[in-house]
Structures are given as structure tokens and as C-alpha cells.
Amino acid sequence: MAKGISQYFKRIFDDYQVLVCIHPEDYTGIELILHPDGHVEKTNIVVDEEIFEDLEADEFKACSALEFQLLLAKA
């Protein structure tokens, strides 16, 4: 992963979605949960250097910055 460039990930569960933005330079980020009723829950997160392996193990897939930012605007 390139240092300094935010990375975006998404996983769709049965009735909600989770999108994550990770800033690899300091391992901070934002988690968005899109609930079935359209409510967006935003949480600031701090992770460790193993986050990318963890996301892959949890079956998160890369998503676009635009998709993340559009959902963030609703939070």
C-alpha cells in the first residue's frame, strides 16, 4: 500500500453495509455503517499496521473514495 494515500473498503452484510477509510500514514480512519433504514453511523477509529490483512480476512473489498465520501456526507 502506498503511504499517505487513504484506502477505502466495503463489506455488505445481510441488512447493512460497512465502509472503512484508513489513513496508512497514522493508522487512523473512519468507519461508516449504513443501516437498513438509511441511517449512517460514523465512528472515528484507530487501528494497527495489520489492518489491511484484517480487512482482507474479514472479506472487505476495495471501494471508491467517491462512494465513501457520498455516504460520509449523510452521516
Side-chain angles (χ1 to χ4, degrees), residues 1-74:
M1 296 288 153
K3 289 286 187 188
I5 299 174
S6 296
Q7 303 290 318
Y8 300 89
F9 302 90
K10 173 181 173 180
R11 180 163 177 205
I12 300 172
F13 294 88
D14 289 336
D15 60 350
Y16 64 97
Q17 296 180 44
V18 177
L19 285 83
V20 179
C21 170
I22 302 296
H23 308 294
E25 69 278 1
D26 62 2
Y27 295 105
T28 62
I30 300 171
E31 177 185 70
L32 301 175
I33 300 173
L34 176 59
H35 295 274
D37 64 0
H39 172 73
V40 178
E41 181 180 344
K42 174 186 167 190
T43 305
N44 292 316
I45 57 174
V46 178
V47 296
D48 62 27
E49 62 276 355
E50 295 178 4
I51 185 60
F52 299 108
E53 291 85 4
D54 294 343
L55 288 168
E56 184 176 346
D58 290 338
E59 299 180 352
F60 278 76
K61 304 295 182 197
C63 71
S64 73
L66 179 59
E67 180 179 9
F68 184 90
Q69 294 298 325
L70 288 172
L71 194 57
L72 180 61
K74 296 180 179 181

